[in-house]
Amino acid sequence: MVFEPTHAPLLSIVVPVYGVEAYLYQCLESIRADIPAGEAGAVELIAVDDASPDGCPAMLRSYAAGRVGVRVVHLTNNVGLGLARNAGLDVATGRYVWFVDSDDWLPPATLSAVLDRLRRHEPDVLMLDHLRVHEDRRREVDASSHLLRGVTGVVHLAEQPQLLRVQHTAWNKVVRRAFLDELGLRFFPGWYEDIPFSHPLLIGAEKISVLDRVCYLYRQGRQGAITSTRSGRHFDAFDQYERLMEWVGRHHPDERLRAELFQLMVNHYLVVAGNDDRLHPHLRRAFFRRVAEHYRRYLPAGGYPLPDGVAGLKHRLVGRNDYLAYAALRQAHRVAGRVLGARAGTSSDPPAEDALAAASAGDPAAAPKEPRALAGRG
């Protein structure tokens, strides 16, 4: 049964679903049960079955039956996260849209706060804070969350440029649908689909609002998650950054913005290159070569902010396309991390500096650092 609303809701929540039957009910209930009393017409929930091979399709049919405001789209072929989000967007009727992943969930009283802020500020983009939740139920503040602090009222990115470094995911942003259509943004196929979607939202927005409270619980360590899956599909990141840089070049050809995005891009690549859970060792050299290629292609003429410490050294090695030195540095640094961890009675592999190298907030390992110097050509 598909519910067709008679009045357009304020908010459409799109939930793409694939292989998450152990988590699906928690996600859907955290949304539906959180709708404030008297606000049933303000929120629609659209679940997109991305041809899930498990029990999710039947669960969705059962869940939607008799529940007003719940809509289900069943795809006949698996298309991946980005295109499944597009399918939900195609049928969404709300003034705002929020993409929530089906293995995550919302804490209580989230929707009342979100709806109130949307009505009061009417932003193009509403940014939200989140916590990372581990399998042992430990909750962790994201390394980029502090960048949301102290942002009041409605702002422009030029006034709060640090917002570009907040984790660049779709799920920590509620977006005005008409603004999304004006930008012509859609999700592309492949992994890392948030890259050419999230940054343009902030760059193009005239009105950004920040809701400085935890509105999203981001599950960590799930089997099958991209961040814990070894695959050659991590090379998809290169296509996604090419799309981002092409969009920025056409719409906002600003050298300072280009320099900021360039640093974030290289940081993100280094996270992937250094993570054993993502790249098999036999793929690391080829991935590094692609990073060096993008470094040469997109290096701003006026240079860019170079991170401190080990992160900055890795940038320099990428700029020289020196994989052997990078591999030696990575190995030495990990050995040192294990030794220090053993002395402290804790695990330090990968070491903290690898996370600090990841100022790209689109990655769970990201931790922003202040830039130290300018790296230019030659």
Side-chain angles (χ1 to χ4, degrees):
M1 176 179 179
V2 176
F3 168 72
E4 296 291 346
T6 56
H7 300 286
L10 177 62
L11 176 64
S12 296
I13 300 180
V14 174
V15 181
V17 177
Y18 183 84
V20 291
E21 63 178 318
Y23 313 110
L24 181 57
Y25 184 79
Q26 180 185 26
C27 174
L28 298 177
E29 273 296 283
S30 75
I31 296 170
R32 189 173 178 277
D34 198 49
I35 299 175
E39 293 273 38
V43 180
E44 70 172 352
L45 170 57
I46 302 171
V48 181
D49 164 29
D50 189 16
S52 186
D54 57 3
C56 286
M59 290 176 67
L60 289 175
R61 285 190 289 269
S62 175
Y63 191 85
R67 286 185 168 94
V68 175
V70 179
R71 311 173 67 189
V72 177
V73 177
H74 292 282
L75 303 182
T76 56
N77 298 302
N78 175 250
V79 297
L81 180 59
L83 299 188
R85 286 172 174 167
N86 288 344
L89 184 62
D90 287 340
V91 301
T93 61
R95 185 181 174 198
Y96 286 86
V97 62
W98 185 7
F99 299 99
V100 172
D101 287 352
S102 51
D103 53 346
D104 302 328
W105 70 103
L106 311 184
T110 290
L111 287 179
S112 60
V114 168
L115 294 173
D116 177 69
R117 181 58 62 87
L118 293 178
R119 289 177 174 131
R120 286 198 294 119
H121 284 179
E122 298 186 339
D124 296 324
V125 179
L126 173 62
M127 301 185 69
L128 313 169
D129 199 4
H130 71 280
L131 290 176
R132 291 184 282 173
V133 184
H134 297 264
E135 288 299 300
D136 60 3
R137 299 187 180 182
R138 176 172 54 90
R139 297 189 176 192
E140 179 184 7
V141 176
D142 188 79
S144 69
S145 290
H146 71 284
L147 300 173
L148 297 170
R149 307 290 179 258
V151 181
T152 60
V154 175
V155 300
H156 190 275
L157 185 62
E159 301 166 332
Q160 300 286 344
Q162 80 282 0
L163 295 179
L164 197 63
R165 289 180 172 265
V166 174
Q167 189 166 355
H168 62 246
T169 61
W171 46 253
N172 64 359
K173 299 172 185 69
V174 181
V175 187
R176 185 168 61 86
R177 175 62 185 272
F179 166 66
L180 190 60
D181 292 342
E182 289 166 11
L183 291 183
L185 286 181
R186 303 276 287 182
F187 290 97
F188 289 96
W191 286 9
Y192 298 98
E193 71 290 327
D194 288 342
I195 290 169
F197 182 85
S198 183
H199 284 314
L201 290 177
L202 299 181
I203 294 168
E206 293 295 327
K207 299 171 63 177
I208 300 172
S209 180
V210 172
L211 186 53
D212 185 12
R213 59 168 286 163
V214 174
C215 294
Y216 195 91
L217 299 173
Y218 175 34
R219 190 182 305 275
Q220 301 289 286
R222 178 179 69 84
Q223 185 177 4
I226 289 174
T227 53
S228 58
T229 301
R230 275 188 175 184
S231 172
R233 294 191 64 187
H234 290 288
F235 282 75
D236 289 356
F238 297 108
D239 293 335
Q240 304 291 14
Y241 271 109
E242 287 173 4
R243 290 164 177 145
L244 170 63
M245 292 303 192
E246 191 273 336
W247 186 91
V248 171
R250 282 190 292 111
H251 297 280
H252 295 273
D254 178 90
E255 276 298 302
R256 289 174 298 180
L257 177 62
R258 181 183 176 91
E260 179 78 2
L261 289 173
F262 180 84
Q263 189 205 53
L264 293 175
M265 178 185 73
V266 176
N267 286 339
H268 195 183
Y269 284 156
L270 287 170
V271 172
V272 179
N275 194 316
D276 288 327
D277 290 335
R278 305 197 199 185
L279 281 184
H280 192 280
H282 79 270
L283 294 175
R284 186 164 288 115
R285 182 190 293 266
F287 191 91
F288 185 91
R289 299 300 188 208
R290 290 290 302 277
V291 178
E293 177 190 332
H294 269 197
Y295 191 102
R296 293 190 299 271
R297 183 190 307 182
Y298 296 115
L299 179 64
Y304 72 103
L306 190 69
D308 284 325
V310 174
L313 178 55
K314 290 179 179 178
H315 276 243
R316 291 188 180 94
L317 295 177
V318 168
R320 297 206 305 259
N321 194 15
D322 192 342
Y323 177 75
L324 292 179
Y326 164 79
L329 173 66
R330 178 176 177 272
Q331 181 61 24
H333 208 240
R334 289 188 165 227
V335 170
R338 283 193 290 269
V339 171
L340 291 173
R343 289 176 180 173
T346 60
S347 173
S348 296
D349 189 16
E353 288 84 350
D354 280 356
L356 291 175
S360 171
D363 192 282
K369 279 183 69 69
E370 291 300 317
R372 183 177 57 82
L374 288 178
R377 299 185 188 275

